[in-house]
Amino acid sequence: MTQATDRPTGGLTAAPLAALLVLLLSSPVLAHTGQGVASGLLSGFLHPLTGIDHLLAMVAVGIWGTQLGRPAIWLLPLTFPLVMSIGGVLGVRGAPLPAVEFAIAGSAAALGLMIVLAARPPIAVAAVLVGGFAIFHGHAHGTELPGAADPLAYGAGFVLVTGLLHAAGIAIGLVDRWPAGALALRGAGAVIGAVGVYLLVNLAGA
Amino acid sequence: MRKPRRAAVACAPLLAVVWPAAAEAHPMAGVGDFYAGMLHPLTTVEHVLPLAALGLLAGQQPRGTTLRVIPAVPVALIAGAALALALPAPPDLQAITVGSMVALGALVALAASLPPVVAVAAAALPAAAIGWANAAELGGQVAAARFVPGVALAGLLVVIYGAGCVRGLRAPWMRMAFRVLGSWIAALGVMTLGLQ
């Protein structure tokens, strides 16, 4: 009951911040002063959104976080950007990492499976699994840095949007508190896992 | 509930200053020396983000520590600037400023509670480096006596905003959001270190 009364006020506080965020994120793009910075931020922002494998895996991370509950749900958005930035640096620098595309499609499949099973491994196991994927996702974003773009702005873009995708997953995962919602989440996990497997099969065929 | 909402509105200038500024480098032709001093640290990513992290970190500390850290920042900025005017630039200030992005961001992410002395030192060192780096870029016609106070005031305002946001918005998820912000700052620091 206390949670129910807390919720609306949280939303009130969030509303101005959310509006602000939208405003802020649009302004660097509109400002045509620093072409490399603006295009870097924009393409960094779009990159995780335009790849279905990235998008599903990151939302899945958020959903699984809510299933795992308290420590994990917060540990995740705190550590993921840091690990991912290391992967991003490796990618921009061109450090070789084996089978990146497989790892990313595999991450969607594996995370989907975790959600279907509502698996609750020890926190360290979950952290290593997700952290490993973070390196590969960061590397893939870094590798595809557009030539004209400012690397740091691009990096900022994909780190921020990845955080927002996690937040989206966590928001979706809030339905976990109701039995029907929990079931729906596991169904969503099945869809994510299936897409991941489909992408894996495609990669293997190509 | 009024108070946190007001604090949320108060956060707006901080973010509004930080992000568009990060995109447009050094737009300071035609403003006076004092305002040039204010804009300079705000328009440099590796200056404004450590200062913002410093503010968040200060806000996460007990009240007494917050009140010690905040005044230490402009003092250190001025001291660093004075050193720059007196001495040649040390080899790599950027290593300190970007390194402090990583360190301060990580401390914010951990919501580390620091002894007051350590907190003041953690504020003074990067602030002095930022003051030094700003004054080192002073051109021939800019008056240091007006430019440096501008730098100090800008730093003070950023830290006050950051600390005020953290102290004003105390909902558990908000506290977590500030820690995530720290993690993002540290991640940007890692990328800046790795990509230069």
Side-chain angles (χ1 to χ4, degrees):
Chain A
M1 196 55 220
T2 45
Q3 279 207 330
T5 49
D6 279 353
R7 205 148 291 279
T9 48
L12 277 181
T13 318
L17 285 179
L20 183 68
L21 193 67
V22 170
L23 190 73
L24 300 179
L25 294 174
S26 58
S27 55
V29 176
L30 294 174
H32 285 278
T33 48
Q35 199 59 46
V37 171
S39 71
L41 195 63
L42 184 62
S43 47
F45 227 84
L46 290 178
H47 195 257
L49 293 175
T50 46
I52 187 83
D53 44 354
H54 288 297
L55 186 122
L56 286 180
M58 293 305 101
V59 173
V61 165
I63 295 177
W64 193 33
T66 51
Q67 284 183 332
L68 286 167
R70 251 322 134 81
I73 193 173
W74 294 130
L75 206 61
L76 197 82
L78 281 180
T79 51
F80 202 96
L82 280 170
V83 181
M84 193 175 186
S85 67
I86 295 168
V89 168
L90 292 177
V92 172
R93 288 263 155 140
L97 203 60
V100 173
E101 289 304 318
F102 271 98
I104 289 170
S107 71
L111 290 165
L113 182 67
M114 293 298 144
I115 296 171
V116 172
L117 299 174
R120 285 167 212 271
I123 181 87
V125 174
V128 168
L129 184 68
V130 173
F133 290 149
I135 293 265
F136 282 97
H137 280 262
H139 188 279
H141 295 319
T143 307
E144 286 160 45
L145 168 77
D150 179 77
L152 185 60
Y154 180 79
F158 75 70
V159 166
L160 296 192
V161 86
T162 299
L164 295 179
L165 285 175
H166 290 162
I170 290 173
I172 294 169
L174 289 177
V175 300
D176 196 38
R177 65 180 67 193
W178 300 293
L183 199 62
L185 278 191
R186 297 175 73 164
V191 173
I192 293 172
V195 173
V197 170
Y198 169 77
L199 291 172
L200 271 179
V201 171
N202 253 9
L203 279 173
Chain B
M1 223 34 240
R2 278 189 59 105
K3 207 174 163 197
R5 283 200 66 191
R6 237 183 296 150
V9 174
C11 281
L14 172 65
L15 292 167
V17 162
V18 169
W19 283 107
E24 306 157 25
H26 298 204
M28 59 181 59
V31 299
D33 294 351
F34 179 79
Y35 295 102
M38 279 192 79
L39 284 173
H40 197 264
L42 297 179
T43 50
T44 311
V45 176
E46 70 259 30
H47 295 171
V48 74
L49 288 183
L51 287 170
L54 213 54
L56 298 177
L57 185 65
Q60 287 174 333
Q61 308 306 315
R63 188 183 154 82
T65 309
T66 309
L67 293 178
R68 284 191 185 89
V69 168
I70 288 175
V73 169
V75 171
L77 284 168
I78 291 173
L83 280 177
L85 298 174
L87 303 167
D92 200 0
L93 276 172
Q94 215 175 19
I96 302 179
T97 54
V98 179
S100 70
M101 241 164 107
V102 179
L104 294 169
L107 286 172
V108 171
L110 294 170
S113 86
L114 305 170
V117 182
V118 177
V120 170
L125 178 68
I130 291 166
W132 191 318
N134 275 282
E137 286 183 34
L138 269 177
Q141 300 194 342
V142 182
R146 287 193 289 275
F147 182 89
V148 173
V151 173
L153 179 62
L156 179 64
L157 288 178
V158 171
V159 175
I160 288 178
Y161 271 130
C165 285
V166 175
R167 296 197 71 83
L169 297 166
R170 293 189 156 276
W173 72 271
M174 233 17 259
R175 301 184 77 82
M176 217 55 211
F178 288 125
R179 294 177 62 178
V180 171
L181 213 55
S183 168
W184 287 359
I185 292 174
L188 285 177
V190 168
M191 281 191 285
T192 313
L193 281 178
L195 297 180
Q196 271 166 355

